[in-house]
Structure formats: structure tokens, C-alpha cells
Amino acid sequence: MTDLSGASSWGFTGDWLSDGPKLIVPVPAGSRVDASLVRRVIEGCRATGTDGVLALTGGPGGPDGPGACGRNRRTVSPDRAVAALAGIGPPALLASSDRQGAVLFSGPGSALVAGTPRFLGGAVPEGVDGGRARFARYARTVAHRWPELRSLARSLPPRHLAWSRARDVPAGTGAARQLELMRGFIAGSVNAPHFARGWQTARRTSHDNGERLREPLLTAFDQVFSLLEDYSVDLDLKDADDLSDQELVDAVREIMEYSEGF
């Protein structure tokens, strides 16, 4: 997972990144591992169903003391990870024991979260592109203290622009599939259960891809999501106040007619 030839060269290996494949998201950090970094790997473990956090620490500034070159390796349960790992210095690698993802803290100011889409879904709930965009803003803010972070942000840019209009959404994306289903639904070529299932699946795809929306399309999609929260595909589970198929299609049509995102 990492090159352990020296603390200064710790990093994710190409073989590990290509197995999945895995993506990298830079995140803000302080001078030592804090609870927020540990929680990222904990949530990644929960998302993948992993019951252990593997911690590899050591080297300059690590628990072995300044100038030490030893390595400490241990596995802790997720519910004990914050107490056991918060406060350690760089370099440090915190990984899910199944190797699906990891947080690499090589120095003050930033850390790298890498993993499969499933791991990142828990570790980076803001999404890959959301996390990268957030880090770019952070890097500009702290440039006076850690100027090198701006180069890191440029090396890991968002993969997608944040789309504000339906016409801007590229074909083949999760968001494009959501739009396709909405158009088919109000045109009558897609029935309500198929729309509800397909739209939620496409929403998860969009999130896993790190796709980002902004106003006014963001609000329109949030409104559709809220509608589906009040709609049941399973007739046996439908409550009296749940939306009917007709009420759902009418509401989606109204969103598309009155939102500036379409």
C-alpha cells in the first residue's frame, strides 16, 4: 500500500491504487492526526463492513521520537480508533484492514484519503469532487502557512465541473441518467416505480462518481429526492399519506416547468 523505504517517501503504490481502482482526495489536517482524520477511516470501514483499522506509524515526528526510523504496526477496532490514534504525528497511515481504503498523513496541513468508491462513500461523504473542491478553497486560505498545498490541490482537481443547468450535464454521467428518467417519466414512457428505483440508483452513481451540482439544478434535484422520500414503490408498504403515482408525476413535471435549471 505504501513505500516504506523512508518516511519522506511514504505514498500509495501504483499497484494498490489500480486495484479497484481507487481515487485520491486531499483533505485538510493539522500538525498531528486528529479525531476528524480518524473518523474518516472509521466511516470508510463501516461503509465496507470492515471491523479493523490498521495503523502504521513511525519515523521523524512519529511515536518513535524525532529521528527514529522504526515502524509501529497495529490494528484497532473502529470503536477504539479515535482514542488510540488521535494525536500521533506524521508520518502515519490509517487503513481499513481489508485494504479497500486508507488515510495517509505525511506532514502538517493535509492528508490524502484514497480508496474504492465504497470506502470513499463513507470516508469522504462530500464526494470525490466535493472534497477536492473544498480542499482547493482551503489551500488558498492557508497558503501563507503551507504554500505547497496549492500545488497539491492543482494536482488533484475535481473531475467534473459543477453543473447548474440540465443542458450542461454531459452524457454518460449519473446526473444525465437522472435527467433522462425525469423526462421519460413526465412523457409517459417511464412508469412511477421504474422512475423511483432508477432515479435513486442514478443518484448513487452520481455520488460515487463525485459529480457536483449547483444552483438552480441542485435545488431541483433535492426537491425530486424529497418527493421520492414520500413515495413507496411497494404497495404493501404504502401509507395513506404517501404520494400516488399521479401525484408524483405531477410534482416532477412542476419542478421541471418552473425550475430555472431546465
Side-chain angles (χ1 to χ4, degrees), residues 146-205:
W146 294 305
E148 69 278 5
L149 298 188
R150 299 191 72 172
S151 295
L152 176 59
R154 286 193 294 269
S155 71
L156 291 167
R159 297 165 301 159
H160 306 287
L161 296 174
W163 308 306
S164 62
R165 298 286 193 278
R167 63 176 179 269
D168 300 329
V169 178
T173 60
R177 177 58 178 161
Q178 289 174 283
L179 290 168
E180 178 185 349
L181 286 163
M182 292 171 70
R183 294 183 181 114
F185 187 37
I186 66 171
S189 60
V190 174
N191 64 32
H194 180 77
F195 168 74
R197 294 191 186 97
W199 201 89
Q200 295 283 36
T201 298
R203 182 175 183 269
R204 289 190 291 271
T205 298

Side-chain angles (χ1 to χ4, degrees), residues 6 18 22 88 90 92 127-128 135 158 178-179 230 242:
S18 64
K22 301 177 181 73
I88 60 178
V128 172
F135 185 80
Q178 289 174 283
L179 290 168
D230 294 327
D242 281 347

Side-chain angles (χ1 to χ4, degrees), residues 8-25:
S8 63
S9 61
W10 282 34
F12 301 121
T13 65
D15 287 345
W16 181 74
L17 288 172
S18 64
D19 182 17
K22 301 177 181 73
L23 295 172
I24 301 175
V25 182

